[in-house]
């Protein structure tokens, strides 16, 4: 028996891949502590308009991207995909809010050679900065992505490009997030060759440059040929976990809602799971729980493991969806904007949903707020009215939107995004080494370990399921 803890995208995908690998449905049990499946992915329809309360788009590139496209193909969701092409305004126009105004980030090769506000010089000079900087005086195991970018490419790149981007990806502070979160490969090149550009050139001319050898599936080939930048699904991104749920139910996989695991006890005869009103015995467990939750339920028997898991921090994010009846409420075009942390405002950014997807002659926006700075701006327990009034204030101040919204939805997502702070990769390796040394049949999947994106979570589930067979 394999028990899966967590019914979000990671848990549902883990069960799917176990089935696909040949585990009989009677040997799989999935437990979810809440009353619904899907985790942080939630799509809500209000008066014919879809509000995304969590993740909303997926990137089609890289191994994780190809893996997700293969999953969609297997689930017969090809016709539900809504792509955003690289030529569309939503892909080409990404803005940042710096020095009290909006700026369009460079999006073409030519634009690298032009001075573009808020940067004081053309971005090509950042590459020369790397070449001039030379080798670091000491070798580093890790550092913040902010410090790395500032050291190799200059402070403006760190302040105006990387810091807002980290806000958008994980609602985090670039001055604390590990460079290995997004730039592991180029960080290691810099450490080995003494510079990022030197490392890239050395690998290229030595033949060490990595090339994708994986055969592209039908959807991945289509995404490449049609030049998808990102994509979503009809009915919202929740269509994916909903389809996974229906697939598992059709195969008679046991799914238990409102089943909060309170303790895991490992013994030579198996794994004992304690719930509020029942006990379960398993041969193996795949946990897709947040790291802090898993820490609580293993700590009694394995305090060292609990301590390592609880060392992965999480942040709260406020999400405010607003629907305006006029299609002209927003004058800007693009995917949206991110606010530089140096502005010290409570919002992380705004997504222009109706610029990305057809919203039936309406304007739909999503305001993201808080993250690393949530408690600083909102305290411990803000009301939904506080978040809504904050969202409307900054829509008025920055985007000049005076209209009253037709519909709104406010969500406060507590501890929703793990933070890959400096030392994260070493911590995760230590956790996995502990599991190997103690011979614990505990697989790890979800956002806490190897990536916070939708693609990362699905790939982690596949790898956890494959570990089950090894």
């Amino acid at each position: 028996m394999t028990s899966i803890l967590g019914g979000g995208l990671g848990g549902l995908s883990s069960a799917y891949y176990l089935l696909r690998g040949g585990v009989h449905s009677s040997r799989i049990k999935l437990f979810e502590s809440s009353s619904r499946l899907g985790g942080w992915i939630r799509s809500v329809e209000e008066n014919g308009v879809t509000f995304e309360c969590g993740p909303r788009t997926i990137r089609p590139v890289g191994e994780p991207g190809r893996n997700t496209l293969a999953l969609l193909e297997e689930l017969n969701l090809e016709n539900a995909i809504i792509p955003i092409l690289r030529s569309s305004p939503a892909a080409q126009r990404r803005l940042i809010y710096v020095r009290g105004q909006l700026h369009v980030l460079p999006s073409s090769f030519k634009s690298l050679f032009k001075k573009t506000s808020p940067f004081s010089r053309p971005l090509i000079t950042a590459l020369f900065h790397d070449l001039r900087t030379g080798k670091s005086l000491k070798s580093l195991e890790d550092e913040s992505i902010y410090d790395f970018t500032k050291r190799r490419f200059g402070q403006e790149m760190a302040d105006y490009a990387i810091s807002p981007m980290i806000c958008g990806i994980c609602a985090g502070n670039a001055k604390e997030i590990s460079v290995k979160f997004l730039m592991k490969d180029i960080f290691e090149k810099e450490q080995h060759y003494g510079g990022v550009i030197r490392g890239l050139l050395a690998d290229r001319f030595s033949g060490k440059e990595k090339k994708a050898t994986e055969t592209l599936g039908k959807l991945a080939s289509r995404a490449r040929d049609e030049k998808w930048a990102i994509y979503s699904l009809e009915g919202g991104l929740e269509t994916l976990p909903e389809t996974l749920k229906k697939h598992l139910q059709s195969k008679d996989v046991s799914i238990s809602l409102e089943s909060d695991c309170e303790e895991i006890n490992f013994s030579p005869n198996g794994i004992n799971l304690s719930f509020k009103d029942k006990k379960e015995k398993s041969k193996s467990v795949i946990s897709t729980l947040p790291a802090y939750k898993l820490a609580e339920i293993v700590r009694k028997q394995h305090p060292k493991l609990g301590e390592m898991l609880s060392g992965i921090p999480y942040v709260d994010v406020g999400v405010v969806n607003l629907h305006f009846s006029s299609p002209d409420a927003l004058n800007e075009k693009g995917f949206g904007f991110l606010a530089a942390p140096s502005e010290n405002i409570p919002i992380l950014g705004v997504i222009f949903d109706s610029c990305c997807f057809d919203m039936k002659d309406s304007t739909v926006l999503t305001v993201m707020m808080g993250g690393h700075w949530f408690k600083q701006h909102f305290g411990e327990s803000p009301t939904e009215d506080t978040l809504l009034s904050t969202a409307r204030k900054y829509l008025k101040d920055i985007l000049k939107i005076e209209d009253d919204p037709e519909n709104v939805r406010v969500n406060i997502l507590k501890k929703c995004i793990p933070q890959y702070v400096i030392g994260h990769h070493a911590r995760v390796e230590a956790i996995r080494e502990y599991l190997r040394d103690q011979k614990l049949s505990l697989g790890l999947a979800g956002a806490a370990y190897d990536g916070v994106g939708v693609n990362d979570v699905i790939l982690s589930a596949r790898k956890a399921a494959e570990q089950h067979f090894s």
Side-chain angles (χ1 to χ4, degrees):
M1 181 69 68
T2 297
S3 293
I4 299 170
L5 300 180
L9 184 60
L12 294 167
S13 300
S14 296
Y16 174 85
Y17 285 118
L18 286 174
L19 277 177
R20 197 184 72 169
V23 178
H24 194 274
S25 60
S26 64
R27 306 296 299 167
I28 303 170
K29 288 188 176 183
L30 185 149
F31 300 95
E32 164 58 36
S33 62
S34 74
S35 60
R36 64 176 288 274
L37 299 171
W40 296 117
I41 298 179
R42 188 170 192 138
S43 309
V44 179
E45 186 174 311
E46 299 274 358
N47 294 337
V49 172
T50 299
F51 285 159
E52 293 285 15
C53 305
R56 68 205 52 236
T57 56
I58 306 174
R59 286 173 54 80
V61 297
E63 180 194 2
R66 294 190 294 271
N67 181 67
T68 298
L69 289 169
L71 173 63
L72 294 175
E73 199 170 328
E74 292 167 16
L75 293 171
N76 297 314
L77 284 173
E78 299 100 319
N79 293 332
I81 293 174
I82 307 173
I84 296 178
L85 305 184
R86 291 203 293 267
S87 58
S88 72
Q92 294 203 342
R93 279 181 59 87
R94 292 179 182 252
L95 299 92
I96 56 171
Y97 182 70
V98 174
R99 298 176 184 168
Q101 58 183 309
L102 292 173
H103 308 266
V104 180
L105 287 173
S107 61
S108 67
F109 181 73
K110 286 183 179 179
S111 63
L112 298 179
F113 296 87
K114 299 177 181 178
K115 178 184 171 184
T116 308
S117 180
F119 300 97
S120 62
R121 298 178 180 180
L123 290 189
I124 192 68
T125 60
L127 303 184
F128 294 123
H129 187 284
D130 173 67
L131 290 169
R132 289 194 307 268
T133 298
K135 189 172 184 178
S136 174
L137 295 177
K138 60 179 180 179
S139 107
L140 301 170
E141 290 298 321
D142 201 357
E143 69 177 319
S144 78
I145 195 168
Y146 181 92
D147 287 343
F148 174 78
T149 304
K150 179 181 175 182
R151 183 163 60 80
R152 299 308 319 183
F153 303 108
Q155 185 160 350
E156 287 189 341
M157 284 292 290
D159 285 336
Y160 303 152
I162 292 300
S163 289
M165 182 172 67
I166 292 298
C167 288
I169 294 174
C170 68
N173 182 355
K175 294 180 179 179
E176 295 184 3
I177 299 296
S178 166
V179 65
K180 296 180 180 180
F181 175 54
L182 292 180
M183 300 181 178
K184 184 174 185 288
D185 186 53
I186 66 171
F187 172 72
E188 290 175 348
K189 280 181 170 58
E190 186 254 1
Q191 290 293 296
H192 182 73
Y193 294 104
V196 175
I197 304 303
R198 288 186 179 90
L200 292 171
L201 291 173
D203 275 4
R204 183 173 183 85
F205 290 116
S206 66
K208 293 180 181 179
E209 188 178 43
K210 293 181 181 179
K211 294 184 179 179
T213 57
E214 184 179 345
T215 302
L216 293 182
K218 177 183 173 184
L219 267 182
S221 296
R222 179 183 155 198
R224 177 199 60 196
D225 296 343
E226 295 179 3
K227 296 181 172 58
W228 298 0
I230 51 178
Y231 64 92
S232 188
L233 300 171
E234 289 183 4
L237 214 55
E238 195 173 353
T239 297
L240 175 52
E242 278 292 318
T243 304
L244 283 167
K245 178 186 76 172
K246 290 174 183 177
H247 177 81
L248 298 179
Q249 289 173 332
S250 73
K251 302 296 183 181
D252 295 322
V253 171
S254 172
I255 298 175
S256 299
L257 299 178
E258 297 182 338
S259 296
D260 190 7
C261 185
E262 297 177 339
E263 187 178 342
I264 302 178
N265 187 276
F266 300 88
S267 74
N269 299 320
I271 303 172
N272 299 301
L273 305 174
S274 298
F275 298 84
K276 185 176 181 180
D277 55 356
K278 62 185 174 183
K279 292 186 182 296
E280 296 281 345
K281 195 174 186 68
S282 286
K283 181 180 178 182
S284 62
V285 171
I286 295 176
S287 172
T288 67
L289 301 174
Y292 64 86
K293 177 60 179 175
L294 180 59
E296 293 172 6
I297 61 179
V298 300
R299 194 185 304 276
K300 184 175 180 181
Q301 188 183 28
H302 293 277
K304 183 178 178 181
L305 177 59
E307 181 182 358
M308 288 189 289
L309 287 164
S310 62
I312 299 174
Y314 282 69
V315 297
D316 304 338
V317 175
V319 179
V320 180
N321 305 105
L322 304 101
H323 165 215
F324 300 89
S325 56
S326 169
D328 301 319
L330 176 68
N331 293 321
E332 290 285 352
K333 296 293 183 183
F335 185 82
F337 76 82
L338 293 169
S342 57
E343 295 300 293
N344 194 30
I345 60 176
I347 71 167
L348 300 168
V350 178
I351 299 166
F352 305 162
D353 298 280
S354 47
C355 289
C356 301
F357 306 106
D358 181 11
M359 294 293 183
K360 300 179 180 178
D361 295 324
S362 300
T363 297
V364 180
L365 305 172
T366 302
V367 183
M368 316 293 290
M369 52 186 68
H372 173 82
W373 304 271
F374 191 92
K375 291 181 176 62
Q376 172 187 325
H377 290 296
F378 299 107
E380 292 288 342
S381 303
T383 65
E384 291 186 0
D385 285 344
T386 297
L387 267 66
L388 176 57
S389 63
T390 301
R392 294 197 62 186
K393 167 183 165 49
Y394 285 95
L395 289 182
K396 179 180 178 180
D397 291 350
I398 299 173
L399 295 174
K400 313 306 178 189
I401 297 178
E402 304 274 358
D403 300 15
D404 290 327
E406 185 91 1
N407 298 290
V408 300
R409 188 174 186 89
V410 181
N411 287 276
I412 301 174
L413 311 182
K414 293 285 190 179
K415 291 188 173 183
C416 63
I417 307 181
Q419 303 292 284
Y420 290 19
V421 297
I422 299 169
H424 174 82
H425 283 74
R427 182 186 301 278
V428 171
E429 179 51 39
I431 289 170
R432 289 186 166 130
E433 185 177 355
Y434 183 92
L435 297 178
R436 290 192 295 269
D437 290 347
Q438 297 293 319
K439 296 180 172 57
L440 303 182
S441 296
L442 175 62
L444 302 177
Y449 310 104
D450 301 306
V452 301
V454 169
N455 288 330
D456 303 310
V457 169
I458 294 172
L459 184 59
S460 75
R462 193 191 86 186
K463 290 181 176 179
E466 290 172 350
Q467 183 184 2
H468 173 90
F469 303 107
S470 62

